[in-house]
Amino acid sequence: MLKKERADYVLNKLQALYPETPIPLDHKDEYTLLIAVLLSAQCTDERVNQVTPALFALADTPQKMVKQSVESIRNIIKPCGLSPRKSAAIHRLSEILLEQHDGHVPESFSELEALPGVGHKTASVVMSQGFGHPAFPVDTHIHRLAQRWGLSKGRNVEQTEADLKKLFPEAYWNRLHLQIIYYGREYCTARGCDGTVCPMCRALYPNRKTPPKVNKA
Ligand code: SF4
């Protein structure tokens, strides 16, 4: 199969497997989504969803969040890891939203990425899932699957994002991001695989004899 044929196969297969694409992180608006995505760095969505009810009961708006001490935020979000950095970022970004954005989450990559604790991937998730703009957030899991399916040889998540955006129509980016995550969780975990156990890889590489090489992100 050519790369474009592999991309078309993946697109159709994922559409069939996951016709619905619910957002994994519980939230009620752009602000709570932004906080949940920030907390999900190096943490599972499941754990974030266990922690955010208590955090949002305390403060679910920037106005309420700035009234909390960094320490009290930190105590609640501890199970998510990196709590000193994440709590400081949540407090400071809430101040910035009030100072510079009338208390709203800005709807642009540059303004989002200027917030503390918000990198390109977090901004992409908020632009995509919060505002519905086309984006293709790539984390290490999507990077790994793109390599195993022969859709990218990127050496980092930025290269992989550029490759995937070229391969798939823009209208599918938002849902594909989620569908690849679902597939990775269900079938293709971080553990090594010989690249032949799933119908997906068998269809993409019917003659595969050796495990696919994966560049670390
Ligand atoms: S065969 Fe292995 S590498 Fe391919 S999709 Fe399945 S688990 Fe992932």
Side-chain angles (χ1 to χ4, degrees), residues 6-213:
R6 287 198 295 277
D8 290 345
Y9 183 89
V10 166
L11 181 67
N12 290 328
K13 187 80 181 168
L14 291 177
Q15 289 291 109
L17 278 172
Y18 308 110
E20 304 295 328
T21 54
I23 295 172
L25 289 168
D26 296 337
H27 65 286
K28 62 174 189 173
D29 55 17
E30 292 88 9
Y31 177 71
T32 48
L33 177 65
L34 173 63
I35 300 300
V37 181
L38 187 154
L39 287 173
S40 73
Q42 296 185 41
C43 179
T44 63
D45 291 348
E46 198 183 353
R47 177 151 305 173
V48 172
N49 287 339
Q50 288 165 356
V51 162
T52 47
L55 179 64
F56 296 149
L58 189 74
D60 58 359
T61 64
Q63 288 85 351
K64 292 180 193 164
M65 196 65 82
V66 296
K67 292 191 182 134
Q68 312 306 319
S69 66
V70 173
E71 187 66 27
S72 61
I73 299 170
R74 183 181 164 186
N75 285 338
I76 294 175
I77 67 165
K78 242 178 205 154
C80 295
L82 307 174
S83 61
R85 211 186 312 162
K86 287 177 180 174
S87 55
I90 289 169
H91 195 271
R92 181 64 194 131
L93 81 74
S94 300
E95 287 177 337
I96 294 173
L97 294 185
L98 293 172
E99 289 163 9
Q100 300 178 15
H101 302 287
D102 292 327
H104 300 297
V105 175
E107 195 173 345
S108 80
F109 278 99
S110 58
E111 289 170 307
L112 282 167
E113 288 176 28
L115 297 171
V118 181
H120 181 63
K121 193 227 145 191
T122 298
S124 295
V125 173
V126 174
M127 286 295 277
S128 159
Q129 297 173 6
F131 294 112
H133 292 292
F136 213 135
V138 173
D139 60 10
T140 54
H141 303 289
I142 293 185
H143 174 82
R144 181 181 71 253
L145 276 159
Q147 305 247 333
R148 288 178 166 180
W149 294 343
L151 303 178
S152 173
K153 290 189 171 133
R155 299 204 160 267
N156 50 52
V157 292
E158 290 80 16
Q159 285 177 5
T160 303
E161 178 182 333
D163 287 341
L164 293 177
K165 282 180 166 174
K166 266 188 248 152
L167 274 175
F168 295 107
E170 194 177 272
Y172 289 94
W173 292 356
N174 289 358
R175 76 179 77 165
L176 261 174
H177 155 74
L178 287 166
Q179 289 164 328
I180 297 173
I181 286 176
Y182 302 152
Y183 190 95
R185 282 182 189 165
E186 194 170 348
Y187 299 103
C188 191
T189 59
R191 287 186 299 279
C193 168
D194 71 356
T196 63
V197 300
C198 294
M200 184 78 97
C201 274
R202 284 203 296 273
L204 298 175
Y205 289 100
N207 301 318
R208 184 180 258 165
K209 297 276 186 292
T210 53
K213 186 172 170 292

